[in-house]
Amino acid sequence: MESTDVQDPAVRPSNAGERDVRAERNGGRPTLEFAGKVPYDAYVHATTLHSLQRTLSGDPGEMSFLMVSQIMELYFKLIRHELFQTQAAVRADDPWSALVPLRRAALHLEGLNAAWQTLSWMTPADFNRFRDLLGEGSGFQSAMYRQVEFLLGLKTASLIRPFRGYEVYDELQAALTGPSLWDDVIALLARAGHDIPADQLDRDFSAEHEPHPAVSAAWVAIYRDNVPGNHLRMLGEALAEVSEQFGDWRYRHLKTVQRTMGAKTGTGGSNGMAWLQRSMSRTVFPELWTSRTEM
Ligand code: HEM
């Protein structure tokens, strides 16, 4: 599960009364003097965030590559957070409450996907000016992205190997070996009375879930039940949205790769586009899509 930092004690709580007194004292203008740290910085840690853009070249285009990567890393973490919230609600047999973090996850994915646009200026010549300096570095080695994939049910045990000896390893291991959100949803369907075989519920979760006709049949039945308050159908649609948006991220990434380096070998050691295309062929929440043929 997620580790969250305790709130910085430098952020002193306030209330409406205190705010009114301050505004009165300031004559309606914002406060400009603080006894301790600037409260915004104490909360957002903007100074720390802005100290992390360490480019490797003098090329002016590299900054946008580095910062878009960092922005995407933050989004991966935010999406992971929403998926944890969703999992907790699903495990508590509360699909209605799961809709809220799922909606947030879909909106964050939309924001994440929009960030690809800011790299679309980059031609192969632009990228080549600093590409060698990245050495063996590749987004493929993003531990946070890998956790998101695991939570969505795309499991490949070997991909946690680069992180052995790192702090993040335990989190990755937990995400790999624990049930994905899709496994949790399948268990919810079983508890809701759908006929799900036992081997779908009690299994080695570090192996990727294979699409199963019983899960597909459950979704056909859920979608047929066209009554108000069909929370499972609403859950299905919210999950489909997340699956689609995540697919859009992978597609936009692939197009960015094609634009900036064609079919060259990747810095991460793969054969680049061909490897990414194979990776993309795995579907998130597969029976939500296969079941549509039977609906
Ligand atoms: C010019 C822009 C980019 C290019 C040319 C590029 C290229 C590649 C290539 C070739 C791979 C396959 C592994 C390898 O390196 O051999 C890869 C994987 C990956 N990249 Fe990028 N990338 C770009 C931007 C980004 C950005 C901004 C992110 C965000 C953090 C990112 C995240 C990832 C992730 C998560 C994977 C693994 C995908 C998977 O496992 O299916 N990439 N990238």
Side-chain angles (χ1 to χ4, degrees):
M1 276 281 152
E2 197 173 16
S3 56
T4 42
D5 294 333
V6 177
Q7 201 185 6
D8 191 322
V11 184
R12 202 184 64 81
S14 180
N15 57 45
E18 280 183 19
R19 281 190 288 275
D20 289 346
V21 169
R22 219 177 294 133
E24 178 77 26
R25 202 175 48 223
N26 290 352
R29 287 177 295 277
T31 309
L32 298 175
E33 305 279 346
F34 303 98
K37 275 186 175 175
V38 173
Y40 173 80
D41 206 45
Y43 178 57
V44 177
H45 298 283
T47 305
T48 307
L49 273 176
H50 296 310
S51 71
L52 299 175
Q53 289 72 45
R54 297 169 203 150
T55 50
L56 298 169
S57 71
D59 188 83
E62 189 199 340
M63 189 58 94
S64 93
F65 176 78
L66 173 60
M67 288 191 73
V68 169
S69 301
Q70 292 182 335
I71 289 161
M72 287 194 177
E73 273 294 327
L74 287 176
Y75 266 124
F76 295 155
K77 187 171 181 181
L78 186 52
I79 291 158
R80 183 189 69 153
H81 167 80
E82 305 299 2
L83 296 178
F84 280 147
Q85 306 300 310
T86 308
Q87 262 186 324
V90 168
R91 286 177 189 176
D93 288 314
D94 190 355
W96 175 251
S97 295
L99 296 177
V100 180
L102 269 180
R103 174 82 183 124
R104 285 198 300 254
L107 291 169
H108 302 326
L109 277 159
E110 228 175 291
L112 168 71
N113 292 342
W116 284 121
Q117 195 57 29
T118 64
L119 281 183
S120 60
W121 60 272
M122 203 193 275
T123 66
D126 295 323
F127 190 33
N128 286 342
R129 272 197 291 278
F130 60 87
R131 185 167 184 238
D132 285 352
L133 296 175
L134 303 175
E136 288 191 279
S138 165
F140 167 77
Q141 299 142 9
S142 163
M144 201 51 83
Y145 174 84
R146 209 50 73 195
Q147 286 189 58
V148 170
E149 272 206 345
F150 289 168
L151 284 171
L152 292 175
L154 303 176
K155 303 260 183 117
T156 313
S158 60
L159 297 186
I160 70 171
R161 282 220 300 266
F163 305 98
R164 263 194 302 227
Y166 280 81
E167 212 174 299
V168 74
Y169 190 80
D170 289 349
E171 275 181 5
L172 273 159
Q173 178 86 12
L176 174 70
T177 55
S180 70
L181 173 56
W182 193 234
D183 290 312
D184 285 327
V185 167
I186 293 170
L188 174 72
L189 299 186
R191 291 194 300 276
H194 293 277
D195 189 13
I196 306 289
D199 64 4
Q200 291 300 298
L201 305 171
D202 184 16
R203 63 180 202 91
D204 171 13
F205 292 116
S206 61
E208 193 155 306
H209 160 81
E210 292 286 334
H212 194 283
V215 177
S216 203
W219 285 111
V220 173
I222 289 162
Y223 273 74
R224 197 185 296 129
D225 195 7
N226 196 14
V227 291
N230 181 348
H231 293 166
L232 287 178
R233 190 167 99 159
M234 291 156 108
L235 180 70
E237 286 300 273
L239 289 164
E241 178 66 18
V242 166
S243 167
E244 198 171 312
Q245 292 277 359
F246 186 71
D248 287 353
W249 185 88
R250 294 157 108 195
Y251 177 76
R252 297 290 310 266
H253 177 251
L254 188 74
K255 294 314 283 181
T256 304
V257 173
Q258 195 173 22
R259 279 177 91 127
T260 55
M261 58 173 262
K264 290 186 196 108
T265 305
T267 48
S270 81
N271 56 7
M273 281 193 43
W275 186 85
L276 287 169
Q277 263 155 344
R278 257 199 319 283
S279 167
M280 268 175 72
S281 63
R282 297 172 305 156
T283 309
V284 169
F285 313 146
E287 293 94 334
L288 263 183
W289 302 104
T290 53
S291 59
R292 278 159 211 262
T293 312
E294 313 301 325
M295 287 178 190

